[in-house]
């Protein structure tokens, strides 16, 4: 949302104080981006003796410009080397704001869109696509279907979609779907926006006599309990 002038001024003062703390030689503070910047500067000042023959970058929508420049410094041939970049801007969870061309990576005639979905079923993809019209009619069209055609290799049950006007009604419906005597309940997951929502859902499950496992404590192996976590934590699981 737009910030009024006074608030912008106050935020800038906080930012300057923060930057001053970062530059304090006695007790410096480094953000992750600054760590990458220092690493990039180090390999430029003292190039590595052995470089990678190729670099494969998956989930490229979430890598920073500095991070990609760092990888290219470690690649044999640099921007002219063998590099594969795979990403989906629609799944970005970190701010972007840069282009591959800015880094000297020319992709015209060398790039293409991946159109086969191997992870989700055809029914899931159709349901997700239909929600697109609520997000961006310009991109998805009035029918909610993306202009880029995709195909799937799997089929399964059609997802159930419900909308609720109040949170309590949503919670009541979800808890009603969870049968403690159903052996498949351990394969269920509840995803929420914030950690506070996760805490609230773990409490609800406990009150209902249902076990839960936070995604921070879940390592991909079978374990009893409904899995609960944020969308951010669920990424890649």
């Amino acid at each position: 949302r737009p910030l009024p002038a006074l608030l912008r001024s106050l935020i800038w003062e906080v930012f300057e104080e923060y930057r001053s703390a970062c530059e304090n030689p006695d007790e410096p503070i480094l953000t992750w981006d600054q760590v990458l910047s220092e690493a990039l500067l180090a390999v430029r000042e003292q190039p590595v003796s052995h470089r990678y023959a190729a670099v494969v970058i998956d989930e490229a929508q979430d890598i920073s410009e500095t991070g990609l420049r760092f990888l290219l410094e470690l690649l044999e041939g640099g921007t002219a080397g063998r590099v594969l970049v795979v990403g989906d801007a629609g799944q970005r969870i970190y701010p972007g704001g840069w282009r591959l061309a800015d880094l000297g990576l020319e992709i015209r005639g060398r790039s293409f869109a991946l159109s086969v979905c191997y992870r989700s079923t055809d029914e899931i993809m159709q349901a997700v696509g239909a929600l697109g019209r609520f997000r961006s009619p310009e991109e998805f069209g009035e029918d909610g279907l993306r202009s880029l055609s995709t195909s799937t290799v799997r089929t399964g049950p059609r997802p159930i979609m419900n909308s609720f006007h109040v949170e309590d009604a949503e919670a009541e419906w979800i808890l009603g779907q969870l049968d403690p005597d159903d052996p498949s309940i351990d394969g269920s997951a509840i995803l929420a926006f914030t950690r506070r929502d996760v805490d609230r859902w773990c409490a609800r499950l406990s009150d209902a006599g249902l076990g839960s496992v936070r995604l921070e404590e879940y390592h991909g192996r079978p374990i009893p309990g409904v899995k609960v976590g944020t969308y951010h934590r669920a990424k890649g699981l």
Side-chain angles (χ1 to χ4, degrees):
R1 66 182 64 171
L3 298 175
L6 177 60
L7 192 54
R8 288 201 302 269
S9 175
L10 293 173
I11 291 175
W12 187 256
E13 289 179 9
V14 174
F15 175 69
E16 287 186 323
E17 184 177 346
Y18 166 72
R19 287 299 300 269
S20 178
C22 291
E23 295 167 0
N24 178 9
D26 298 325
E27 194 175 353
I29 300 172
L30 290 179
T31 65
W32 177 240
D33 286 335
Q34 288 170 319
V35 170
L36 281 175
S37 296
E38 292 294 321
L40 176 59
L41 182 62
V43 295
R44 282 178 172 173
E45 290 180 346
Q46 188 173 351
V48 294
S49 56
H50 299 287
R51 297 175 182 268
Y52 289 101
V55 171
V56 178
I57 303 169
D58 193 15
E59 303 288 1
Q61 72 275 0
D62 289 326
I63 193 172
S64 66
E65 178 181 349
T66 303
L68 188 49
R69 288 186 186 276
F70 173 72
L71 293 178
L72 293 174
E73 286 290 332
L74 304 180
L75 175 63
E76 197 174 286
T79 56
R82 302 166 67 189
V83 56
L84 173 64
V85 181
V86 184
D88 180 0
Q91 297 187 44
R92 179 181 294 138
I93 60 175
Y94 301 114
W98 55 274
R99 301 174 303 166
L100 291 173
D102 298 335
L103 282 71
L105 289 174
E106 182 54 65
I107 64 173
R108 286 180 297 182
R110 303 172 58 197
S111 65
F112 58 91
L114 302 176
S115 58
V116 180
C117 177
Y118 295 92
R119 177 179 292 178
S120 296
T121 64
D122 186 59
E123 290 78 6
I124 289 176
M125 293 299 290
Q126 288 185 23
V128 172
L131 290 174
R133 67 180 183 275
F134 298 109
R135 176 74 177 178
S136 173
E138 293 80 12
E139 181 182 359
F140 290 89
E142 291 302 323
D143 59 357
L145 299 178
R146 207 184 265 271
S147 58
L148 176 64
S149 60
T150 58
S151 60
T152 58
V153 296
R154 300 174 56 202
T155 59
R158 185 177 180 180
I160 299 173
M161 293 192 181
N162 288 314
S163 60
F164 303 90
H165 294 292
V166 293
E167 185 178 352
D168 288 343
E170 179 187 45
E172 181 180 357
W173 183 85
I174 292 176
L175 291 173
Q177 303 302 304
L178 299 173
D179 181 0
D181 298 324
D182 185 353
S184 66
I185 190 175
D186 297 335
S188 304
I190 296 176
L191 304 182
F193 281 108
T194 67
R195 292 183 180 180
R196 183 178 298 178
D197 294 331
V198 171
D199 294 339
R200 193 177 295 124
W201 268 110
C202 288
R204 286 190 182 117
L205 292 169
S206 178
D207 292 343
L210 300 169
S212 63
V213 179
R214 295 173 182 266
L215 290 186
E216 300 96 290
E217 303 164 3
Y218 176 63
H219 304 292
R221 299 181 179 87
I223 182 173
V226 178
K227 313 307 179 284
V228 186
T230 62
Y231 294 114
H232 189 284
R233 174 65 67 172
K235 185 175 173 64
L237 288 179

